[in-house]
Amino acid sequence: MLELNGASALVTGGASGLGEATVRALAEAGSKVVIMDLGHQKEKADAILAEIGGGAFVECDVTNTDQVIASIDAAKEMGPLRAVINSAGIGWATRTIGRDGTYESAHDLEIFRKVVEINLIGTFNVCRLAATAMSQNEPDEDGARGAIVNTASVAALEGQIGQVAYTAAKAGIAGMALTMARDLGSVGIRALAIAPSLFATGLTKGIPEEFA
């Protein structure tokens, strides 16, 4: 079992929802946690860190390589980076075509691109950089250097109406899980994806009833 006590951990989207719950669980296990989130979440993140007795907040857009590296460096200052949980993400409820049959009412391509950029490419960006840092850790007696948990969704398998962009991104996360596990297993880094169903978070509060 990977020893988290005295190690550091990264949680993207750690100031709310699943990310916040994960931050608290990691702190209970003895990890020093870096909350990676957007700037407007700093007050919430600071309150969480005060409650759990330490850690750090780093303003981070997961698609920004320099900000991700800064987050990793902050974690390494507190202990060896052994856990990464990717829970940052956005959603957008839009059908593939509009009601009036015009090209203009079709799903906005930039919105689709943004959802994939943040949810899928952002997740991979954190993985590739954090795993590089983890690979430099001293392995434990079982040869383990760290673990990465990515958040896919039940939508990857059973997407609902209006979730086409979100579903595509989450299916990508699910799809890369096994390959990433094989890539990283040889250096003692576990990688996996979870697929939660719908629960109350800041993201789901904004879903219109017709898409829920």
Side-chain angles (χ1 to χ4, degrees), residues 81-118:
L81 177 60
R82 294 200 178 276
V84 175
I85 295 82
N86 280 299
S87 61
I90 63 170
W92 206 282
T94 305
R95 294 177 187 246
T96 304
I97 63 172
R99 294 182 183 276
D100 62 5
T102 65
Y103 295 131
E104 290 76 17
S105 67
H107 194 304
D108 186 285
L109 187 58
E110 289 308 310
I111 288 173
F112 187 95
R113 185 174 283 118
K114 181 178 181 180
V115 172
V116 171
E117 179 77 15
I118 293 172

Side-chain angles (χ1 to χ4, degrees), residues 36-123:
M36 301 165 64
D37 218 317
L38 300 178
H40 70 271
Q41 296 282 45
K42 184 179 189 306
E43 186 174 342
K44 291 180 65 176
D46 288 344
I48 294 166
L49 293 171
E51 289 181 30
I52 66 175
F57 168 76
V58 179
E59 181 176 347
C60 183
D61 172 346
V62 292
T63 67
N64 184 310
T65 294
D66 290 341
Q67 291 179 358
V68 173
I69 291 174
S71 303
I72 293 168
D73 289 344
K76 290 168 62 178
E77 289 179 4
M78 298 188 293
L81 177 60
R82 294 200 178 276
V84 175
I85 295 82
N86 280 299
S87 61
I90 63 170
W92 206 282
T94 305
R95 294 177 187 246
T96 304
I97 63 172
R99 294 182 183 276
D100 62 5
T102 65
Y103 295 131
E104 290 76 17
S105 67
H107 194 304
D108 186 285
L109 187 58
E110 289 308 310
I111 288 173
F112 187 95
R113 185 174 283 118
K114 181 178 181 180
V115 172
V116 171
E117 179 77 15
I118 293 172
N119 292 9
L120 175 57
I121 298 175
T123 291

